[in-house]
Amino acid sequence: VHGLCVLMCSVLQFVKSPYFADEVARFVEHNCLVFDNEEENSIEHTLSHEKYRSMMESLLSRLLKGMSL
């Protein structure tokens, strides 16, 4: 249980960090034009979601690797 608490606290600190916020802001800046209110659930939305999911997985993987997990 203690290990899980340490892990969750580390993830929480990471998502509150300036580094994480900068990565998300950069992604939003580069992808915001895809969401133009013309068509809901377009292929561009799906592709942007996949890129976002991939970015999140990469960020969290780096965090866990840095924690030797």
Side-chain angles (χ1 to χ4, degrees):
V1 173
H2 175 71
L4 180 60
C5 183
V6 170
L7 174 63
M8 295 306 294
C9 287
S10 295
V11 170
L12 184 59
Q13 286 177 341
F14 179 67
V15 298
K16 289 181 173 183
S17 72
Y19 173 75
F20 184 85
D22 288 346
E23 291 295 315
V24 172
R26 190 175 351 287
F27 179 88
V28 169
E29 184 178 318
H30 286 99
N31 293 278
C32 65
L33 295 178
V34 168
F35 300 93
D36 57 11
N37 292 325
E38 288 199 19
E39 182 182 338
E40 195 171 317
N41 296 323
S42 70
I43 189 69
E44 289 84 9
H45 292 174
T46 301
L47 294 173
S48 288
H49 179 260
E50 287 296 320
K51 288 193 291 186
Y52 183 80
R53 189 177 58 81
S54 178
M55 179 190 72
M56 286 296 150
E57 287 177 359
S58 177
L59 289 170
L60 290 173
S61 289
R62 280 187 261 162
L63 171 67
L64 296 176
K65 188 175 182 179
M67 296 175 66
S68 299
L69 296 175

mmCIF file of all heavy atoms in Angstrom, residues 6-55:
data_model
loop_
_atom_site.group_PDB
_atom_site.id
_atom_site.type_symbol
_atom_site.label_atom_id
_atom_site.label_comp_id
_atom_site.label_asym_id
_atom_site.label_seq_id
_atom_site.Cartn_x
_atom_site.Cartn_y
_atom_site.Cartn_z
ATOM 1 N N VAL A 6 3.183 6.147 -2.770
ATOM 2 C CA VAL A 6 4.358 6.861 -3.289
ATOM 3 C C VAL A 6 4.216 7.064 -4.796
ATOM 4 O O VAL A 6 4.463 8.158 -5.315
ATOM 5 C CB VAL A 6 5.663 6.105 -2.953
ATOM 6 C CG1 VAL A 6 6.846 6.706 -3.691
ATOM 7 C CG2 VAL A 6 5.905 6.110 -1.448
ATOM 8 N N LEU A 7 3.787 6.024 -5.496
ATOM 9 C CA LEU A 7 3.605 6.104 -6.943
ATOM 10 C C LEU A 7 2.554 7.157 -7.294
ATOM 11 O O LEU A 7 2.777 8.017 -8.145
ATOM 12 C CB LEU A 7 3.200 4.743 -7.505
ATOM 13 C CG LEU A 7 2.829 4.704 -8.981
ATOM 14 C CD1 LEU A 7 4.017 5.096 -9.843
ATOM 15 C CD2 LEU A 7 2.307 3.339 -9.355
ATOM 16 N N MET A 8 1.406 7.093 -6.642
ATOM 17 C CA MET A 8 0.327 8.039 -6.934
ATOM 18 C C MET A 8 0.733 9.470 -6.604
ATOM 19 O O MET A 8 0.408 10.400 -7.351
ATOM 20 C CB MET A 8 -0.945 7.647 -6.187
ATOM 21 C CG MET A 8 -1.528 6.320 -6.642
ATOM 22 S SD MET A 8 -1.827 6.230 -8.419
ATOM 23 C CE MET A 8 -3.106 7.435 -8.616
ATOM 24 N N CYS A 9 1.443 9.665 -5.517
ATOM 25 C CA CYS A 9 1.918 11.004 -5.155
ATOM 26 C C CYS A 9 2.903 11.528 -6.192
ATOM 27 O O CYS A 9 2.858 12.705 -6.564
ATOM 28 C CB CYS A 9 2.553 11.001 -3.776
ATOM 29 S SG CYS A 9 1.349 10.843 -2.441
ATOM 30 N N SER A 10 3.769 10.653 -6.692
ATOM 31 C CA SER A 10 4.738 11.049 -7.718
ATOM 32 C C SER A 10 4.039 11.438 -9.016
ATOM 33 O O SER A 10 4.394 12.440 -9.647
ATOM 34 C CB SER A 10 5.724 9.915 -7.993
ATOM 35 O OG SER A 10 6.500 9.656 -6.858
ATOM 36 N N VAL A 11 3.046 10.669 -9.411
ATOM 37 C CA VAL A 11 2.290 10.984 -10.636
ATOM 38 C C VAL A 11 1.556 12.304 -10.454
ATOM 39 O O VAL A 11 1.558 13.161 -11.348
ATOM 40 C CB VAL A 11 1.324 9.840 -11.008
ATOM 41 C CG1 VAL A 11 0.384 10.273 -12.125
ATOM 42 C CG2 VAL A 11 2.101 8.594 -11.410
ATOM 43 N N LEU A 12 0.942 12.497 -9.313
ATOM 44 C CA LEU A 12 0.227 13.745 -9.048
ATOM 45 C C LEU A 12 1.167 14.945 -9.098
ATOM 46 O O LEU A 12 0.842 15.974 -9.710
ATOM 47 C CB LEU A 12 -0.474 13.674 -7.694
ATOM 48 C CG LEU A 12 -1.348 14.868 -7.329
ATOM 49 C CD1 LEU A 12 -2.448 15.078 -8.357
ATOM 50 C CD2 LEU A 12 -1.954 14.661 -5.946
ATOM 51 N N GLN A 13 2.324 14.832 -8.477
ATOM 52 C CA GLN A 13 3.304 15.921 -8.523
ATOM 53 C C GLN A 13 3.734 16.183 -9.969
ATOM 54 O O GLN A 13 3.904 17.341 -10.368
ATOM 55 C CB GLN A 13 4.526 15.580 -7.677
ATOM 56 C CG GLN A 13 4.282 15.670 -6.208
ATOM 57 C CD GLN A 13 5.508 15.244 -5.404
ATOM 58 O OE1 GLN A 13 6.406 14.575 -5.900
ATOM 59 N NE2 GLN A 13 5.521 15.631 -4.138
ATOM 60 N N PHE A 14 3.907 15.121 -10.737
ATOM 61 C CA PHE A 14 4.344 15.273 -12.116
ATOM 62 C C PHE A 14 3.303 16.017 -12.948
ATOM 63 O O PHE A 14 3.646 16.930 -13.692
ATOM 64 C CB PHE A 14 4.635 13.897 -12.726
ATOM 65 C CG PHE A 14 5.073 13.962 -14.159
ATOM 66 C CD1 PHE A 14 6.281 14.531 -14.512
ATOM 67 C CD2 PHE A 14 4.266 13.443 -15.153
ATOM 68 C CE1 PHE A 14 6.687 14.599 -15.833
ATOM 69 C CE2 PHE A 14 4.666 13.494 -16.481
ATOM 70 C CZ PHE A 14 5.873 14.075 -16.817
ATOM 71 N N VAL A 15 2.022 15.644 -12.823
ATOM 72 C CA VAL A 15 1.001 16.308 -13.644
ATOM 73 C C VAL A 15 0.745 17.752 -13.200
ATOM 74 O O VAL A 15 0.163 18.525 -13.954
ATOM 75 C CB VAL A 15 -0.324 15.513 -13.727
ATOM 76 C CG1 VAL A 15 -0.111 14.165 -14.365
ATOM 77 C CG2 VAL A 15 -0.991 15.376 -12.388
ATOM 78 N N LYS A 16 1.209 18.107 -12.011
ATOM 79 C CA LYS A 16 1.115 19.489 -11.554
ATOM 80 C C LYS A 16 2.368 20.299 -11.904
ATOM 81 O O LYS A 16 2.401 21.508 -11.665
ATOM 82 C CB LYS A 16 0.917 19.529 -10.032
ATOM 83 C CG LYS A 16 -0.446 19.054 -9.589
ATOM 84 C CD LYS A 16 -0.550 19.153 -8.077
ATOM 85 C CE LYS A 16 -1.940 18.853 -7.586
ATOM 86 N NZ LYS A 16 -2.036 19.030 -6.121
ATOM 87 N N SER A 17 3.374 19.653 -12.479
ATOM 88 C CA SER A 17 4.657 20.318 -12.732
ATOM 89 C C SER A 17 4.596 21.243 -13.948
ATOM 90 O O SER A 17 3.804 21.034 -14.868
ATOM 91 C CB SER A 17 5.752 19.271 -12.949
ATOM 92 O OG SER A 17 5.590 18.640 -14.212
ATOM 93 N N PRO A 18 5.452 22.256 -13.962
ATOM 94 C CA PRO A 18 5.541 23.145 -15.125
ATOM 95 C C PRO A 18 5.923 22.389 -16.399
ATOM 96 O O PRO A 18 5.435 22.724 -17.486
ATOM 97 C CB PRO A 18 6.627 24.154 -14.737
ATOM 98 C CG PRO A 18 6.655 24.126 -13.245
ATOM 99 C CD PRO A 18 6.305 22.711 -12.860
ATOM 100 N N TYR A 19 6.768 21.384 -16.286
ATOM 101 C CA TYR A 19 7.174 20.603 -17.455
ATOM 102 C C TYR A 19 5.955 19.951 -18.111
ATOM 103 O O TYR A 19 5.753 20.040 -19.321
ATOM 104 C CB TYR A 19 8.193 19.531 -17.062
ATOM 105 C CG TYR A 19 8.532 18.590 -18.189
ATOM 106 C CD1 TYR A 19 9.359 19.001 -19.230
ATOM 107 C CD2 TYR A 19 8.010 17.304 -18.233
ATOM 108 C CE1 TYR A 19 9.657 18.150 -20.287
ATOM 109 C CE2 TYR A 19 8.296 16.452 -19.275
ATOM 110 C CZ TYR A 19 9.118 16.877 -20.300
ATOM 111 O OH TYR A 19 9.413 16.040 -21.354
ATOM 112 N N PHE A 20 5.119 19.311 -17.309
ATOM 113 C CA PHE A 20 3.918 18.659 -17.830
ATOM 114 C C PHE A 20 2.986 19.701 -18.450
ATOM 115 O O PHE A 20 2.473 19.507 -19.556
ATOM 116 C CB PHE A 20 3.214 17.897 -16.704
ATOM 117 C CG PHE A 20 2.021 17.122 -17.172
ATOM 118 C CD1 PHE A 20 2.175 15.855 -17.700
ATOM 119 C CD2 PHE A 20 0.746 17.651 -17.068
ATOM 120 C CE1 PHE A 20 1.072 15.125 -18.126
ATOM 121 C CE2 PHE A 20 -0.361 16.936 -17.484
ATOM 122 C CZ PHE A 20 -0.196 15.667 -18.019
ATOM 123 N N ALA A 21 2.767 20.799 -17.760
ATOM 124 C CA ALA A 21 1.898 21.861 -18.270
ATOM 125 C C ALA A 21 2.414 22.406 -19.594
ATOM 126 O O ALA A 21 1.630 22.653 -20.521
ATOM 127 C CB ALA A 21 1.771 22.979 -17.240
ATOM 128 N N ASP A 22 3.726 22.574 -19.714
ATOM 129 C CA ASP A 22 4.311 23.067 -20.961
ATOM 130 C C ASP A 22 4.112 22.080 -22.107
ATOM 131 O O ASP A 22 3.817 22.489 -23.231
ATOM 132 C CB ASP A 22 5.812 23.341 -20.787
ATOM 133 C CG ASP A 22 6.096 24.558 -19.937
ATOM 134 O OD1 ASP A 22 5.157 25.356 -19.683
ATOM 135 O OD2 ASP A 22 7.258 24.710 -19.501
ATOM 136 N N GLU A 23 4.271 20.800 -21.828
ATOM 137 C CA GLU A 23 4.074 19.784 -22.870
ATOM 138 C C GLU A 23 2.627 19.771 -23.355
ATOM 139 O O GLU A 23 2.365 19.702 -24.558
ATOM 140 C CB GLU A 23 4.470 18.397 -22.360
ATOM 141 C CG GLU A 23 5.954 18.227 -22.128
ATOM 142 C CD GLU A 23 6.765 18.309 -23.413
ATOM 143 O OE1 GLU A 23 6.371 17.684 -24.417
ATOM 144 O OE2 GLU A 23 7.792 19.010 -23.406
ATOM 145 N N VAL A 24 1.689 19.855 -22.438
ATOM 146 C CA VAL A 24 0.266 19.871 -22.813
ATOM 147 C C VAL A 24 -0.053 21.154 -23.583
ATOM 148 O O VAL A 24 -0.737 21.117 -24.610
ATOM 149 C CB VAL A 24 -0.635 19.711 -21.569
ATOM 150 C CG1 VAL A 24 -2.092 19.933 -21.922
ATOM 151 C CG2 VAL A 24 -0.435 18.328 -20.955
ATOM 152 N N ALA A 25 0.438 22.286 -23.117
ATOM 153 C CA ALA A 25 0.189 23.560 -23.805
ATOM 154 C C ALA A 25 0.761 23.546 -25.219
ATOM 155 O O ALA A 25 0.112 24.043 -26.152
ATOM 156 C CB ALA A 25 0.786 24.716 -23.000
ATOM 157 N N ARG A 26 1.934 22.980 -25.377
ATOM 158 C CA ARG A 26 2.549 22.886 -26.711
ATOM 159 C C ARG A 26 1.686 22.023 -27.626
ATOM 160 O O ARG A 26 1.438 22.361 -28.784
ATOM 161 C CB ARG A 26 3.962 22.330 -26.606
ATOM 162 C CG ARG A 26 4.739 22.420 -27.900
ATOM 163 C CD ARG A 26 6.195 21.994 -27.808
ATOM 164 N NE ARG A 26 6.785 21.736 -26.688
ATOM 165 C CZ ARG A 26 7.306 22.284 -25.543
ATOM 166 N NH1 ARG A 26 7.417 22.982 -25.328
ATOM 167 N NH2 ARG A 26 7.809 22.060 -24.514
ATOM 168 N N PHE A 27 1.192 20.908 -27.096
ATOM 169 C CA PHE A 27 0.330 20.037 -27.887
ATOM 170 C C PHE A 27 -0.944 20.779 -28.302
ATOM 171 O O PHE A 27 -1.345 20.736 -29.463
ATOM 172 C CB PHE A 27 -0.039 18.769 -27.109
ATOM 173 C CG PHE A 27 -0.938 17.869 -27.877
ATOM 174 C CD1 PHE A 27 -0.417 16.922 -28.727
ATOM 175 C CD2 PHE A 27 -2.320 17.990 -27.781
ATOM 176 C CE1 PHE A 27 -1.246 16.101 -29.477
ATOM 177 C CE2 PHE A 27 -3.162 17.178 -28.510
ATOM 178 C CZ PHE A 27 -2.630 16.230 -29.367
ATOM 179 N N VAL A 28 -1.573 21.450 -27.364
ATOM 180 C CA VAL A 28 -2.814 22.179 -27.648
ATOM 181 C C VAL A 28 -2.556 23.245 -28.711
ATOM 182 O O VAL A 28 -3.333 23.391 -29.668
ATOM 183 C CB VAL A 28 -3.397 22.799 -26.360
ATOM 184 C CG1 VAL A 28 -4.533 23.767 -26.680
ATOM 185 C CG2 VAL A 28 -3.873 21.703 -25.419
ATOM 186 N N GLU A 29 -1.465 23.970 -28.558
ATOM 187 C CA GLU A 29 -1.134 25.017 -29.520
ATOM 188 C C GLU A 29 -0.972 24.460 -30.930
ATOM 189 O O GLU A 29 -1.442 25.061 -31.902
ATOM 190 C CB GLU A 29 0.150 25.726 -29.086
ATOM 191 C CG GLU A 29 0.536 26.888 -29.973
ATOM 192 C CD GLU A 29 1.792 27.578 -29.480
ATOM 193 O OE1 GLU A 29 1.920 27.765 -28.252
ATOM 194 O OE2 GLU A 29 2.639 27.923 -30.315
ATOM 195 N N HIS A 30 -0.338 23.306 -31.043
ATOM 196 C CA HIS A 30 -0.096 22.720 -32.362
ATOM 197 C C HIS A 30 -1.301 21.990 -32.938
ATOM 198 O O HIS A 30 -1.314 21.689 -34.129
ATOM 199 C CB HIS A 30 1.098 21.763 -32.296
ATOM 200 C CG HIS A 30 2.405 22.463 -32.187
ATOM 201 N ND1 HIS A 30 3.051 22.617 -30.976
ATOM 202 C CD2 HIS A 30 3.173 23.078 -33.102
ATOM 203 C CE1 HIS A 30 4.160 23.284 -31.170
ATOM 204 N NE2 HIS A 30 4.263 23.591 -32.443
ATOM 205 N N ASN A 31 -2.298 21.699 -32.135
ATOM 206 C CA ASN A 31 -3.418 20.896 -32.613
ATOM 207 C C ASN A 31 -4.788 21.562 -32.478
ATOM 208 O O ASN A 31 -5.795 20.965 -32.868
ATOM 209 C CB ASN A 31 -3.446 19.557 -31.870
ATOM 210 C CG ASN A 31 -2.256 18.712 -32.236
ATOM 211 O OD1 ASN A 31 -2.260 18.039 -33.254
ATOM 212 N ND2 ASN A 31 -1.213 18.763 -31.421
ATOM 213 N N CYS A 32 -4.857 22.771 -31.969
ATOM 214 C CA CYS A 32 -6.158 23.399 -31.704
ATOM 215 C C CYS A 32 -6.951 23.691 -32.967
ATOM 216 O O CYS A 32 -8.189 23.675 -32.942
ATOM 217 C CB CYS A 32 -5.996 24.659 -30.868
ATOM 218 S SG CYS A 32 -5.109 25.981 -31.687
ATOM 219 N N LEU A 33 -6.304 23.919 -34.073
ATOM 220 C CA LEU A 33 -7.030 24.248 -35.305
ATOM 221 C C LEU A 33 -7.832 23.079 -35.854
ATOM 222 O O LEU A 33 -8.744 23.272 -36.649
ATOM 223 C CB LEU A 33 -6.064 24.769 -36.370
ATOM 224 C CG LEU A 33 -5.391 26.102 -36.027
ATOM 225 C CD1 LEU A 33 -4.412 26.494 -37.119
ATOM 226 C CD2 LEU A 33 -6.422 27.190 -35.805
ATOM 227 N N VAL A 34 -7.520 21.880 -35.414
ATOM 228 C CA VAL A 34 -8.266 20.695 -35.849
ATOM 229 C C VAL A 34 -9.706 20.769 -35.344
ATOM 230 O O VAL A 34 -10.630 20.307 -36.008
ATOM 231 C CB VAL A 34 -7.578 19.414 -35.323
ATOM 232 C CG1 VAL A 34 -8.456 18.200 -35.507
ATOM 233 C CG2 VAL A 34 -6.235 19.223 -35.999
ATOM 234 N N PHE A 35 -9.906 21.404 -34.195
ATOM 235 C CA PHE A 35 -11.219 21.454 -33.570
ATOM 236 C C PHE A 35 -11.912 22.767 -33.946
ATOM 237 O O PHE A 35 -11.901 23.730 -33.213
ATOM 238 C CB PHE A 35 -11.083 21.301 -32.055
ATOM 239 C CG PHE A 35 -10.449 19.993 -31.690
ATOM 240 C CD1 PHE A 35 -9.076 19.886 -31.492
ATOM 241 C CD2 PHE A 35 -11.220 18.847 -31.589
ATOM 242 C CE1 PHE A 35 -8.498 18.668 -31.177
ATOM 243 C CE2 PHE A 35 -10.654 17.627 -31.275
ATOM 244 C CZ PHE A 35 -9.291 17.542 -31.072
ATOM 245 N N ASP A 36 -12.547 22.745 -35.106
ATOM 246 C CA ASP A 36 -13.129 23.957 -35.665
ATOM 247 C C ASP A 36 -14.653 24.004 -35.599
ATOM 248 O O ASP A 36 -15.283 24.837 -36.225
ATOM 249 C CB ASP A 36 -12.679 24.138 -37.095
ATOM 250 C CG ASP A 36 -13.028 22.938 -37.959
ATOM 251 O OD1 ASP A 36 -13.788 22.058 -37.513
ATOM 252 O OD2 ASP A 36 -12.525 22.877 -39.091
ATOM 253 N N ASN A 37 -15.268 23.101 -34.887
ATOM 254 C CA ASN A 37 -16.721 23.042 -34.705
ATOM 255 C C ASN A 37 -17.500 22.715 -35.976
ATOM 256 O O ASN A 37 -18.704 22.872 -36.012
ATOM 257 C CB ASN A 37 -17.264 24.342 -34.096
ATOM 258 C CG ASN A 37 -16.806 24.536 -32.686
ATOM 259 O OD1 ASN A 37 -16.667 23.591 -31.929
ATOM 260 N ND2 ASN A 37 -16.553 25.776 -32.320
ATOM 261 N N GLU A 38 -16.831 22.307 -37.018
ATOM 262 C CA GLU A 38 -17.549 21.986 -38.253
ATOM 263 C C GLU A 38 -18.111 20.577 -38.251
ATOM 264 O O GLU A 38 -19.224 20.363 -38.670
ATOM 265 C CB GLU A 38 -16.645 22.201 -39.462
ATOM 266 C CG GLU A 38 -16.416 23.675 -39.729
ATOM 267 C CD GLU A 38 -15.928 23.931 -41.126
ATOM 268 O OE1 GLU A 38 -16.093 23.071 -41.990
ATOM 269 O OE2 GLU A 38 -15.384 25.021 -41.331
ATOM 270 N N GLU A 39 -17.324 19.623 -37.811
ATOM 271 C CA GLU A 39 -17.786 18.242 -37.799
ATOM 272 C C GLU A 39 -17.346 17.587 -36.503
ATOM 273 O O GLU A 39 -16.179 17.644 -36.141
ATOM 274 C CB GLU A 39 -17.210 17.469 -38.985
ATOM 275 C CG GLU A 39 -17.692 16.042 -39.074
ATOM 276 C CD GLU A 39 -17.074 15.292 -40.232
ATOM 277 O OE1 GLU A 39 -16.607 15.924 -41.192
ATOM 278 O OE2 GLU A 39 -17.046 14.059 -40.145
ATOM 279 N N GLU A 40 -18.272 16.971 -35.832
ATOM 280 C CA GLU A 40 -17.952 16.286 -34.591
ATOM 281 C C GLU A 40 -17.421 14.896 -34.917
ATOM 282 O O GLU A 40 -17.916 14.234 -35.827
ATOM 283 C CB GLU A 40 -19.205 16.179 -33.719
ATOM 284 C CG GLU A 40 -18.895 15.819 -32.300
ATOM 285 C CD GLU A 40 -20.121 15.934 -31.422
ATOM 286 O OE1 GLU A 40 -20.868 16.906 -31.560
ATOM 287 O OE2 GLU A 40 -20.299 15.032 -30.595
ATOM 288 N N ASN A 41 -16.404 14.465 -34.178
ATOM 289 C CA ASN A 41 -15.812 13.131 -34.338
ATOM 290 C C ASN A 41 -15.235 12.893 -35.737
ATOM 291 O O ASN A 41 -15.395 11.816 -36.300
ATOM 292 C CB ASN A 41 -16.833 12.038 -33.996
ATOM 293 C CG ASN A 41 -17.244 12.103 -32.549
ATOM 294 O OD1 ASN A 41 -16.429 12.388 -31.689
ATOM 295 N ND2 ASN A 41 -18.496 11.860 -32.282
ATOM 296 N N SER A 42 -14.582 13.884 -36.270
ATOM 297 C CA SER A 42 -13.940 13.720 -37.575
ATOM 298 C C SER A 42 -12.674 12.876 -37.439
ATOM 299 O O SER A 42 -12.175 12.642 -36.338
ATOM 300 C CB SER A 42 -13.581 15.083 -38.167
ATOM 301 O OG SER A 42 -12.524 15.679 -37.427
ATOM 302 N N ILE A 43 -12.155 12.443 -38.565
ATOM 303 C CA ILE A 43 -10.920 11.651 -38.559
ATOM 304 C C ILE A 43 -9.772 12.474 -37.971
ATOM 305 O O ILE A 43 -8.913 11.934 -37.284
ATOM 306 C CB ILE A 43 -10.578 11.107 -39.961
ATOM 307 C CG1 ILE A 43 -9.417 10.111 -39.895
ATOM 308 C CG2 ILE A 43 -10.235 12.233 -40.913
ATOM 309 C CD1 ILE A 43 -9.766 8.816 -39.216
ATOM 310 N N GLU A 44 -9.798 13.791 -38.190
ATOM 311 C CA GLU A 44 -8.752 14.647 -37.626
ATOM 312 C C GLU A 44 -8.821 14.660 -36.096
ATOM 313 O O GLU A 44 -7.794 14.682 -35.428
ATOM 314 C CB GLU A 44 -8.856 16.085 -38.164
ATOM 315 C CG GLU A 44 -8.460 16.212 -39.610
ATOM 316 C CD GLU A 44 -9.605 15.888 -40.568
ATOM 317 O OE1 GLU A 44 -10.761 15.726 -40.107
ATOM 318 O OE2 GLU A 44 -9.341 15.782 -41.771
ATOM 319 N N HIS A 45 -10.040 14.627 -35.565
ATOM 320 C CA HIS A 45 -10.190 14.559 -34.109
ATOM 321 C C HIS A 45 -9.611 13.253 -33.577
ATOM 322 O O HIS A 45 -8.917 13.241 -32.559
ATOM 323 C CB HIS A 45 -11.663 14.647 -33.706
ATOM 324 C CG HIS A 45 -12.287 15.972 -33.978
ATOM 325 N ND1 HIS A 45 -13.627 16.193 -33.799
ATOM 326 C CD2 HIS A 45 -11.774 17.146 -34.418
ATOM 327 C CE1 HIS A 45 -13.912 17.443 -34.105
ATOM 328 N NE2 HIS A 45 -12.798 18.039 -34.488
ATOM 329 N N THR A 46 -9.922 12.175 -34.282
ATOM 330 C CA THR A 46 -9.418 10.863 -33.870
ATOM 331 C C THR A 46 -7.897 10.834 -33.918
ATOM 332 O O THR A 46 -7.251 10.335 -32.987
ATOM 333 C CB THR A 46 -10.003 9.760 -34.776
ATOM 334 O OG1 THR A 46 -11.422 9.809 -34.680
ATOM 335 C CG2 THR A 46 -9.500 8.389 -34.376
ATOM 336 N N LEU A 47 -7.323 11.373 -34.970
ATOM 337 C CA LEU A 47 -5.861 11.397 -35.087
ATOM 338 C C LEU A 47 -5.232 12.262 -34.000
ATOM 339 O O LEU A 47 -4.200 11.891 -33.426
ATOM 340 C CB LEU A 47 -5.453 11.890 -36.477
ATOM 341 C CG LEU A 47 -5.827 10.969 -37.635
ATOM 342 C CD1 LEU A 47 -5.515 11.643 -38.965
ATOM 343 C CD2 LEU A 47 -5.123 9.630 -37.519
ATOM 344 N N SER A 48 -5.843 13.393 -33.692
ATOM 345 C CA SER A 48 -5.324 14.252 -32.617
ATOM 346 C C SER A 48 -5.414 13.543 -31.273
ATOM 347 O O SER A 48 -4.496 13.646 -30.449
ATOM 348 C CB SER A 48 -6.096 15.567 -32.549
ATOM 349 O OG SER A 48 -5.757 16.376 -33.628
ATOM 350 N N HIS A 49 -6.493 12.831 -31.057
ATOM 351 C CA HIS A 49 -6.637 12.084 -29.811
ATOM 352 C C HIS A 49 -5.559 11.014 -29.701
ATOM 353 O O HIS A 49 -4.972 10.816 -28.632
ATOM 354 C CB HIS A 49 -8.031 11.450 -29.718
ATOM 355 C CG HIS A 49 -8.219 10.654 -28.480
ATOM 356 N ND1 HIS A 49 -8.110 9.290 -28.454
ATOM 357 C CD2 HIS A 49 -8.463 11.044 -27.207
ATOM 358 C CE1 HIS A 49 -8.298 8.866 -27.225
ATOM 359 N NE2 HIS A 49 -8.511 9.901 -26.441
ATOM 360 N N GLU A 50 -5.286 10.322 -30.779
ATOM 361 C CA GLU A 50 -4.229 9.306 -30.768
ATOM 362 C C GLU A 50 -2.871 9.932 -30.455
ATOM 363 O O GLU A 50 -2.083 9.370 -29.693
ATOM 364 C CB GLU A 50 -4.183 8.559 -32.101
ATOM 365 C CG GLU A 50 -5.332 7.609 -32.304
ATOM 366 C CD GLU A 50 -5.341 6.485 -31.293
ATOM 367 O OE1 GLU A 50 -4.274 5.949 -30.962
ATOM 368 O OE2 GLU A 50 -6.443 6.157 -30.811
ATOM 369 N N LYS A 51 -2.587 11.095 -31.045
ATOM 370 C CA LYS A 51 -1.320 11.783 -30.760
ATOM 371 C C LYS A 51 -1.252 12.204 -29.291
ATOM 372 O O LYS A 51 -0.208 12.085 -28.659
ATOM 373 C CB LYS A 51 -1.144 13.007 -31.660
ATOM 374 C CG LYS A 51 -0.835 12.666 -33.094
ATOM 375 C CD LYS A 51 -0.358 13.869 -33.887
ATOM 376 C CE LYS A 51 -1.444 14.867 -34.112
ATOM 377 N NZ LYS A 51 -1.046 15.991 -34.991
ATOM 378 N N TYR A 52 -2.377 12.689 -28.764
ATOM 379 C CA TYR A 52 -2.419 13.109 -27.363
ATOM 380 C C TYR A 52 -2.200 11.911 -26.444
ATOM 381 O O TYR A 52 -1.421 11.982 -25.496
ATOM 382 C CB TYR A 52 -3.766 13.778 -27.061
ATOM 383 C CG TYR A 52 -3.866 14.316 -25.657
ATOM 384 C CD1 TYR A 52 -3.280 15.524 -25.330
ATOM 385 C CD2 TYR A 52 -4.537 13.611 -24.669
ATOM 386 C CE1 TYR A 52 -3.369 16.034 -24.042
ATOM 387 C CE2 TYR A 52 -4.629 14.111 -23.372
ATOM 388 C CZ TYR A 52 -4.046 15.318 -23.069
ATOM 389 O OH TYR A 52 -4.117 15.808 -21.798
ATOM 390 N N ARG A 53 -2.882 10.816 -26.728
ATOM 391 C CA ARG A 53 -2.736 9.602 -25.923
ATOM 392 C C ARG A 53 -1.293 9.116 -25.959
ATOM 393 O O ARG A 53 -0.716 8.754 -24.931
ATOM 394 C CB ARG A 53 -3.689 8.516 -26.425
ATOM 395 C CG ARG A 53 -3.762 7.309 -25.525
ATOM 396 C CD ARG A 53 -4.783 6.296 -26.019
ATOM 397 N NE ARG A 53 -4.517 5.835 -27.356
ATOM 398 C CZ ARG A 53 -3.631 4.882 -27.665
ATOM 399 N NH1 ARG A 53 -2.926 4.319 -26.727
ATOM 400 N NH2 ARG A 53 -3.453 4.520 -28.909
ATOM 401 N N SER A 54 -0.694 9.137 -27.133
ATOM 402 C CA SER A 54 0.698 8.710 -27.276
ATOM 403 C C SER A 54 1.641 9.615 -26.479
ATOM 404 O O SER A 54 2.576 9.135 -25.820
ATOM 405 C CB SER A 54 1.075 8.713 -28.757
ATOM 406 O OG SER A 54 2.403 8.354 -28.938
ATOM 407 N N MET A 55 1.389 10.917 -26.535
ATOM 408 C CA MET A 55 2.216 11.861 -25.775
ATOM 409 C C MET A 55 2.094 11.581 -24.276
ATOM 410 O O MET A 55 3.094 11.551 -23.556
ATOM 411 C CB MET A 55 1.792 13.298 -26.073
ATOM 412 C CG MET A 55 2.593 14.324 -25.289
ATOM 413 S SD MET A 55 1.943 15.999 -25.403
ATOM 414 C CE MET A 55 0.463 15.869 -24.392
#
